[in-house]
Amino acid sequence: VQLVESGGGLVQPGGSLRLSCAASGSIFSISDMGWYRQTPGKQRELVAIVTDSGNTNYVDSVKGRFTISRDNGKNSVYLQMNSLKPEDTAVYYCKAYIRQTMIPGWYDYWGQGTQVTVSS
């Protein structure tokens, strides 16, 4: 199973970016999908999560600015980020809780990360 992210980059404060993450491989089912971020010297933190039924949750600092969504047919999760602030600068990672075909159990899988830089 692979998770591949795209959509990061450099944006000015107040701007927008949309991150995408697609899971591929021998996937039987995907449960929760989420976005995390990490800055140097800090622990990775949860930004937003969406369940397989579409329920969402956000860290307080991004509520009202970020929107997480998923496309179950494409095994993909997205993060629309609006009104970006310099403090949103980080490497963003997607994570999915996946059950593979032919392998029992559920496991977390991570993407490779994509850099988001908010700066003028």
Side-chain angles (χ1 to χ4, degrees), residues 18 33 35 50 56 58 67-71 76-80:
R18 186 176 189 247
M33 302 184 83
W35 288 95
V50 56
T56 59
Y58 300 88
T67 302
I68 189 171
S69 61
R70 64 189 284 171
D71 184 332
S76 294
V77 63
Y78 309 97
L79 187 67
Q80 178 65 44

Side-chain angles (χ1 to χ4, degrees), residues 36-107:
Y36 293 71
R37 64 187 179 187
Q38 188 171 24
T39 55
K42 292 189 176 181
Q43 285 192 332
R44 195 170 296 185
E45 68 165 353
L46 173 65
V47 176
I49 192 166
V50 56
T51 68
D52 54 358
S53 57
N55 294 317
T56 59
N57 199 17
Y58 300 88
V59 67
D60 285 347
S61 60
V62 308
K63 285 180 180 178
R65 300 188 297 121
F66 290 11
T67 302
I68 189 171
S69 61
R70 64 189 284 171
D71 184 332
N72 292 330
K74 296 182 178 180
N75 290 336
S76 294
V77 63
Y78 309 97
L79 187 67
Q80 178 65 44
M81 304 185 294
N82 299 328
S83 303
L84 282 160
K85 304 176 181 179
E87 52 262 43
D88 294 317
T89 296
V91 178
Y92 284 71
Y93 298 88
C94 67
K95 189 183 84 165
Y97 195 49
I98 294 174
R99 181 178 176 182
Q100 291 192 69
T101 57
M102 305 302 290
I103 298 177
W106 291 79
Y107 300 92

